[in-house]
Amino acid sequence: PVKSSREILIQFARDFLKGEGDITKHLTFLGYTVTHVQKPIEEVTYCVTNIATDLRDGLRLTRVVELLSHNWGLSKNLRVPAVSKLQKVHNVEVSLYQLEKKDGVELVDHKGHVIAAKDIVEGHREKTLALLWLVALKFQITSILDERLLRSEIKHLKSLTKGVEQRRLVSGQGSAAGLYEGKLELLLSWCQCVSALYKVSVDNFTVSFSDGRVLCYIIHHYHPELLTRSAVRDETTLSIINTGVDSDCDNSDDDNSSAMTPETHGRLLKNEQSNLRLAAEKASVLGGVPFMIRPADLSNTIPDEKVVLTYVSYLCSRLLDLRTEVQAARTIQRSWKGYRLRCHIAEFRVRWEATVTVQRYVRGWVSRQTKQQLMKQREERRRERFNQGVVKLQALVRGRLVRKDLKLKHVAATRIQAMVKGYLFRLRVEKMRQSVVRIQQWMRGVWEGRKQRLIYLNYRHVKNITFSVTIIQKHCRGWLTRKSYKQLRSAVTIQAWYR
C-alpha cells in the first residue's frame, strides 16, 4: 500500500507521464517539496468493541487519556504497531504515567492492589475495569459536579432541617462521609441533607440506595409535581431493619429479619422494586441521566457502589441545573410582576387622587348649597314672625284663623326641615363611611401588595366602586337639584300666598 505522497506522484508519473523521470524533482525546482508520509499511528482504529482485548495494546487507552488530559503529545511516545509484549507494556506505561504522575490518579483497585501495565497487557479483567473506573471518576464524575453550586445547595438544605431528628441525621453521619473525599464527600452530604428532610438515613452509596427511597425522595424534593410523596413506598426491608418495627414479625429483639414472614418479605421487596422503577422512570423524564440501574441490580442485594455513585452524580448535576433554570425563570417572573404591580399602583394612585379631588369639590358644593338653604330658612322664619305680629294686631277673628293656619304651616315646615337635615346628615355620614371604607380597602391593597392575584381583585373592586360612586354622585346631584328646585318653588309659592 502507498504510505507517502511521493510514492503517489511517482506512480502517477510512471503511468501517465512517461519519460519525465522523477516528478518530485521538478516540483522541487518550482519550490515545493513533497514530505507527507503516513505514520503507523494514523492507521490505528480507536473503536472499542471488546474491553477485554482492545485495551491490551495500550493504543486506545493512551488515546482516551490523551483526550481527557488534553496532553496531545502522548501519541508520539507510542510504539506502533504494538506486536510484542514489551511494546504493549511500554504503550500502557505511557498512559499510566500520565494518569499517576500528572493527573494525580492513584492506581490502586478496591482491594488495595496496584494496577500495573503488565496487568492490563495480560488482560486482567478486574484491574482493567478498576482502571477504567478510576479514569471515569477522575475525569467524568467529578467534572459534571459543580462544587460551588453543590456547597451552596447543601448549605440551603441544612437550613431547612428544623426538627431535632432531621438535624441529628445530618450532623450524625460525619463518619460515613469520611469514606469519600472531595466532590464525592459533598455528593454524599447532599444526599444526606435531602434524605434527612424525610427522616431517612444515608450512610454510603451501596446499601442506603438499595430500596430506592432515597432516589425517589431526591426527585420529589426538587420536582414534587413530577413525583408525588404518596407514590413513594416507605415500607421496605431497609426501613424495617433501621427502625426495628414490623407488625408482621414476631416480638424479637435479636433479629427482626429472621422473624419476617415470607409474605411480608415478598411485599417489602415489591415495594423496593416499585420505588426503583419509579425513580428510573422519572429520571428518564427529566433527561440527561443515563439509564444505569435496574430493580434487580439494587433490590435485595448490595448494589455496586460505582454504578450508584455514577447514577447519583448525573442525577445531582441534572437536578441542580434544572434548579438554576427554575430560579432564573422565577426571578424574571418576579421582576415582571413587580413592574406590573408598580404600574397598577401608580394608576390606582392617580385614580384615587382624582376621586378625592372630585369628592372635595362635591362636598364644597353641597356645603355651599346647605348654607344658602339655611340662610333662606332663617329669612323665612324672620318674615313669619313679622307677619305673625302684624296679624295679631289685626282683628281677633282673623288673627285666630290666621294663627291656626300658621300653626299648621309651621308644623309642616318644621317636619320638612327635620327631614331635610336628617337626610343631609345621613348623606354626610354615608359619604364619610364610604370614604373610610375606601381608605381601608386601599390600606389592605397596600398590605397585600405582594400577592398579585389579590391586588388585581382589589384593583378591580376599587374600579367598580369608583364607577358606582360616579353613578351615585350623578344621581345625587340630580336629586339635590330637583329637591332644591322644589324647595325654591315651595318658598315662592308660600311668599306669593303671604303677599
Side-chain angles (χ1 to χ4, degrees):
V2 179
K3 300 294 184 181
S4 64
S5 301
R6 184 176 181 276
E7 294 179 0
I8 294 177
L9 293 176
I10 292 174
Q11 184 66 32
F12 179 80
R14 185 181 297 116
D15 295 337
F16 300 101
L17 301 175
K18 295 181 180 181
E20 293 294 333
D22 191 355
I23 193 174
T24 58
K25 293 181 179 180
H26 298 285
L27 294 176
T28 304
F29 292 149
L30 296 176
Y32 182 80
T33 304
V34 180
T35 58
H36 178 72
V37 178
Q38 182 176 344
K39 300 178 182 180
I41 189 66
E42 298 175 354
E43 302 177 9
V44 177
T45 302
Y46 293 103
C47 179
V48 178
T49 57
N50 189 350
I51 296 179
T53 58
D54 292 346
L55 302 180
R56 298 175 65 176
D57 57 358
L59 299 178
R60 296 173 179 83
L61 182 61
T62 304
R63 184 58 177 170
V64 170
V65 176
E66 191 177 46
L67 292 173
L68 294 176
S69 62
H70 301 286
N71 185 2
W72 308 111
L74 295 179
S75 298
K76 299 178 181 179
N77 301 325
L78 296 177
R79 296 177 181 176
V80 184
V83 179
S84 65
K85 183 177 181 181
L86 291 178
Q87 292 175 335
K88 296 180 181 179
V89 170
H90 171 77
N91 294 338
V92 175
E93 285 179 348
V94 170
S95 60
L96 296 184
Y97 179 82
Q98 173 68 25
L99 291 173
E100 185 176 10
K101 300 300 182 181
K102 297 184 178 181
D103 295 331
V105 179
E106 187 178 0
L107 300 178
V108 179
D109 61 4
H110 63 283
K111 296 181 180 180
H113 299 158
V114 178
I115 301 176
K118 182 179 178 182
D119 300 326
I120 306 300
V121 173
E122 293 178 353
H124 196 291
R125 182 170 298 180
E126 293 184 0
K127 292 188 177 182
T128 302
L129 294 177
L131 177 62
L132 294 178
W133 162 246
L134 292 175
V135 173
L137 180 63
K138 174 64 179 179
F139 295 100
Q140 183 65 23
I141 296 179
T142 56
S143 63
I144 64 176
L145 296 177
D146 189 345
E147 183 175 356
R148 181 187 58 81
L149 185 61
L150 194 56
R151 289 183 183 275
S152 175
E153 183 66 14
I154 291 173
K155 182 178 179 181
H156 172 68
L157 291 173
K158 287 184 178 180
S159 64
L160 299 179
T161 55
K162 300 178 180 180
V164 178
E165 180 67 18
Q166 294 174 345
R167 289 195 296 269
R168 184 188 65 81
L169 290 174
V170 173
S171 62
Q173 295 173 349
S175 59
L179 298 175
Y180 307 95
E181 297 179 355
K183 293 184 179 180
L184 299 183
E185 182 179 359
L186 293 177
L187 183 63
L188 181 62
S189 299
W190 173 73
C191 296
Q192 291 173 349
C193 292
V194 175
S195 60
L197 298 175
Y198 304 94
K199 299 181 180 180
V200 177
S201 174
V202 176
D203 299 326
N204 47 50
F205 286 108
T206 55
V207 179
S208 299
F209 289 83
S210 62
D211 58 354
R213 289 184 302 163
V214 177
L215 296 175
C216 292
Y217 288 144
I218 290 174
I219 299 175
H220 166 72
H221 177 72
Y222 289 96
H223 295 278
E225 71 284 352
L226 180 62
L227 197 156
T228 59
R229 177 66 177 84
S230 59
V232 183
R233 300 187 179 183
D234 295 326
E235 291 187 358
T236 61
T237 56
L238 187 60
S239 65
I240 297 300
I241 293 175
N242 290 336
T243 58
V245 177
D246 187 8
S247 58
D248 296 332
C249 299
D250 296 331
N251 295 327
S252 175
D253 297 331
D254 297 329
D255 190 7
N256 290 329
S257 60
S258 62
M260 188 182 301
T261 61
E263 293 79 6
T264 303
H265 187 262
R267 178 173 56 84
L268 297 179
L269 290 180
K270 288 182 180 180
N271 293 341
E272 293 179 0
Q273 295 177 359
S274 175
N275 290 338
L276 293 171
R277 283 193 298 269
L278 182 63
E281 177 184 353
K282 301 306 179 182
S284 64
V285 173
L286 292 175
V289 181
F291 181 77
M292 301 178 60
I293 62 173
R294 295 181 302 174
D297 297 335
L298 300 182
S299 179
N300 198 26
T301 184
I302 298 178
D304 189 349
E305 184 181 31
K306 300 178 181 62
V307 174
V308 175
L309 186 58
T310 305
Y311 188 80
V312 174
S313 300
Y314 277 100
L315 182 61
C316 175
S317 176
R318 181 58 177 164
L319 291 176
L320 294 186
D321 289 342
L322 291 177
R323 176 178 177 270
T324 305
E325 296 174 2
V326 171
Q327 286 181 346
R330 289 177 178 174
T331 302
I332 295 173
Q333 290 178 354
R334 184 167 58 252
S335 300
W336 171 251
K337 290 178 181 178
Y339 169 75
R340 294 296 301 167
L341 178 61
R342 289 191 296 272
C343 292
H344 287 312
I345 291 177
E347 185 178 358
F348 174 75
R349 186 178 291 110
V350 172
R351 291 178 178 272
W352 177 260
E353 292 176 355
T355 303
V356 171
T357 302
V358 172
Q359 290 178 350
R360 184 170 63 252
Y361 281 103
V362 169
R363 292 192 187 101
W365 181 81
V366 172
S367 177
R368 290 191 297 271
Q369 293 294 325
T370 304
K371 184 177 180 180
Q372 292 177 3
Q373 291 179 2
L374 292 176
M375 291 179 64
K376 289 180 180 180
Q377 291 176 1
R378 188 180 299 115
E379 183 66 22
E380 289 177 359
R381 288 195 296 270
R382 188 182 64 80
R383 289 180 181 180
E384 287 179 0
R385 288 194 296 269
F386 177 79
N387 291 332
Q388 288 177 0
V390 172
V391 171
K392 288 181 180 179
L393 295 176
Q394 292 179 355
L396 296 176
V397 177
R398 289 177 58 190
R400 181 174 180 276
L401 295 176
V402 171
R403 284 193 301 272
K404 183 177 180 181
D405 185 58
L406 288 177
K407 182 177 180 181
L408 295 175
K409 291 182 178 182
H410 180 71
V411 171
T414 303
R415 290 180 179 177
I416 292 173
Q417 291 176 0
M419 292 176 64
V420 171
K421 291 179 180 179
Y423 171 76
L424 294 177
F425 179 77
R426 288 191 299 273
L427 183 63
R428 289 196 297 271
V429 171
E430 179 63 22
K431 290 181 178 180
M432 291 176 64
R433 188 187 68 81
Q434 292 179 357
S435 300
V436 171
V437 170
R438 293 191 186 97
I439 292 173
Q440 291 177 349
Q441 292 174 350
W442 180 77
M443 291 300 295
R444 294 190 185 102
V446 173
W447 292 337
E448 298 293 333
R450 293 184 179 179
K451 299 180 180 178
Q452 292 78 10
R453 181 61 181 169
L454 292 182
I455 191 61
Y456 172 74
L457 294 176
N458 288 334
Y459 165 72
R460 186 174 65 181
H461 182 63
V462 170
K463 182 177 179 182
N464 294 334
I465 290 179
T466 304
F467 179 76
S468 302
V469 168
T470 304
I471 298 299
I472 293 173
Q473 288 177 352
K474 182 177 68 177
H475 286 284
C476 287
R477 292 192 192 103
W479 184 85
L480 289 175
T481 303
R482 291 191 298 271
K483 189 67 177 179
S484 176
Y485 175 75
K486 289 180 181 181
Q487 290 179 357
L488 180 62
R489 188 175 62 181
S490 299
V492 171
T493 302
I494 294 173
Q495 290 176 359
W497 184 82
Y498 275 113
R499 292 174 185 165

